[in-house]
């Protein structure tokens, strides 16, 4: 099985003390890594754009070191990756600062050519994956996915500041939920994006025609499958020690 995780990989600066630590991270990249660890027999590739600078090479080398394929990464001369910094106070509070508006990943699928995705059995995207793309590219990608047999896994990950407006975010997210074979929404994201209550969000996804998991933080998860008569709520076992969201995403994805 071949799976493509699509999105942005960024340079991470962790500022704790006088010496910053340099790392690599990204929501869909983190999921790709957890997925490979959970199912090493699955071929997992990361799909993005990078530059030809040393930081882009650092990102590519890191992805390869985690067992995730880099052959589908497009390199763009003169471009560079996005960067974010994590600042931690003495009491452990963290704040984030981003420099990503001109990142190479924003040029992903700029030619509206999605044929490279046709070789995969499944593609995984998030709201961040879609938000960083120009709106015309988003709609073209949705149109292509609508005519493709590839399995689509979508994770909401709504970040308002990445979208040019709530209306576009609602339009794209709604279309992706309609196309998704596996939906992985977060209840807080859906409440904020669609101005709904928790109960309204739960009812909406209980009627979803595919499979998925509604992530509800410490309330636990709600799983559904079109083959079941009703959704299954999992609370206590994850209430004590909730797993990382990306680990949960990868684990559900493998077993659905």
């Amino acid at each position: 099985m071949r799976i493509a995780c699509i999105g942005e990989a960024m340079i991470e600066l962790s500022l704790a003390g006088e010496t910053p630590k340099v790392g690599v991270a990204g929501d869909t990249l983190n999921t790709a890594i957890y997925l490979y660890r959970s199912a090493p027999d699955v071929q997992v590739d990361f799909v993005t754009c990078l530059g030809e600078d040393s930081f882009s090479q650092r990102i590519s080398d890191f992805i390869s070191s985690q067992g995730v394929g880099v052959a589908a990464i497009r390199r763009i001369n003169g471009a560079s990756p996005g960067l974010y910094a994590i600042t931690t106070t003495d009491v452990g509070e963290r704040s984030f600062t981003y420099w990503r508006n001109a990142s190479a990943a924003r040029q992903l699928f700029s030619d509206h050519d999605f044929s490279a995705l046709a070789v995969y059995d499944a593609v995984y995207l998030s709201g961040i994956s879609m938000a960083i793309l120009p709106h015309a590219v988003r709609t073209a990608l949705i149109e292509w996915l609508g005519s493709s047999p590839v399995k689509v896994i979508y994770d909401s990950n709504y970040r308002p500041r990445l979208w040019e407006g709530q209306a576009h975010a609602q339009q794209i997210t709604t279309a992706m939920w309609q196309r998704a074979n596996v939906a992985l929404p977060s209840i807080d994201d859906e409440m904020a994006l669609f101005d709904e209550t928790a109960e309204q969000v739960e009812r909406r996804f209980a009627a979803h025609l595919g499979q998925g998991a509604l992530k509800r933080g410490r309330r636990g998860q709600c799983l559904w499958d079109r083959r079941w008569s009703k959704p299954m709520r999992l609370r206590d076992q994850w209430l004590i020690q909730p797993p990382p969201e990306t680990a949960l995403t990868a684990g559900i994805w493998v077993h659905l």
Side-chain angles (χ1 to χ4, degrees):
M1 186 176 189
R2 300 185 66 186
I3 300 177
C5 295
I6 304 170
E8 181 177 22
M10 304 178 69
I11 292 292
E12 176 189 272
L13 294 180
S14 181
L15 306 176
E18 297 297 325
T19 304
K21 295 181 179 179
V22 180
V24 175
D27 67 326
T28 54
L29 174 58
N30 294 343
T31 297
I33 292 170
Y34 278 111
L35 175 61
Y36 175 74
R37 292 175 183 174
S38 301
D41 293 335
V42 174
Q43 180 180 334
V44 183
D45 290 346
F46 193 65
V47 179
T48 192
C49 289
L50 294 172
E52 295 181 344
D53 58 295
S54 60
F55 285 109
S56 293
Q57 190 59 49
R58 178 190 287 262
I59 290 174
S60 181
D61 291 344
F62 171 79
I63 295 173
S64 294
S65 73
Q66 300 301 308
V68 176
V70 297
I73 294 178
R74 176 185 165 205
R75 304 296 283 263
I76 303 173
N77 185 34
S80 58
L83 177 149
Y84 72 98
I86 304 173
T87 304
T88 306
T89 68
D90 293 338
V91 295
E93 294 181 353
R94 301 199 304 170
S95 61
F96 297 82
T97 306
Y98 291 89
W99 298 268
R100 70 193 309 177
N101 289 343
S103 72
R106 290 180 177 265
Q107 299 185 49
L108 186 60
F109 305 128
S110 59
D111 56 0
H112 291 206
D113 182 2
F114 310 105
S115 58
L117 301 179
V119 301
Y120 294 99
D121 300 293
V123 296
Y124 168 79
L125 310 93
S126 75
I128 293 176
S129 308
M130 300 299 282
I132 65 172
L133 301 177
H135 192 64
V137 176
R138 299 171 192 148
T139 55
L141 175 56
I142 290 171
E143 182 178 355
W144 184 87
L145 290 172
S147 63
S148 169
V150 67
K151 190 173 186 179
V152 175
I153 302 97
Y154 191 65
D155 192 332
S156 53
N157 232 355
Y158 173 53
R159 299 294 181 269
R161 287 186 293 181
L162 291 179
W163 294 89
E164 57 272 36
Q166 187 175 7
H168 275 174
Q170 290 175 339
Q171 174 192 351
I172 297 300
T173 302
T174 298
M176 289 302 293
W177 291 143
Q178 291 172 348
R179 174 59 181 87
N181 302 95
V182 179
L184 299 169
S186 296
I187 197 164
D188 291 342
D189 288 346
E190 295 297 302
M191 291 170 63
L193 177 56
F194 293 101
D195 300 318
E196 292 181 338
T197 65
E199 291 75 17
Q200 288 173 319
V201 173
E202 290 183 6
R203 285 198 301 269
R204 175 156 55 91
F205 283 98
H208 188 271
L209 296 179
Q211 302 163 304
L214 178 62
K215 295 170 284 184
R216 303 180 303 168
R218 296 193 64 83
R219 290 180 61 207
Q221 325 305 319
C222 184
L223 309 185
W224 73 88
D225 189 308
R226 61 182 177 274
R227 297 166 295 186
W228 300 344
S229 60
K230 61 181 179 179
M232 177 174 64
R233 298 174 185 272
L234 301 180
R235 293 183 177 178
D236 295 341
Q237 67 187 91
W238 288 342
L239 181 61
I240 299 172
Q241 189 176 3
E245 290 294 312
T246 45
L248 172 62
T249 297
I252 290 172
W253 182 1
V254 169
H255 291 102
L256 282 176

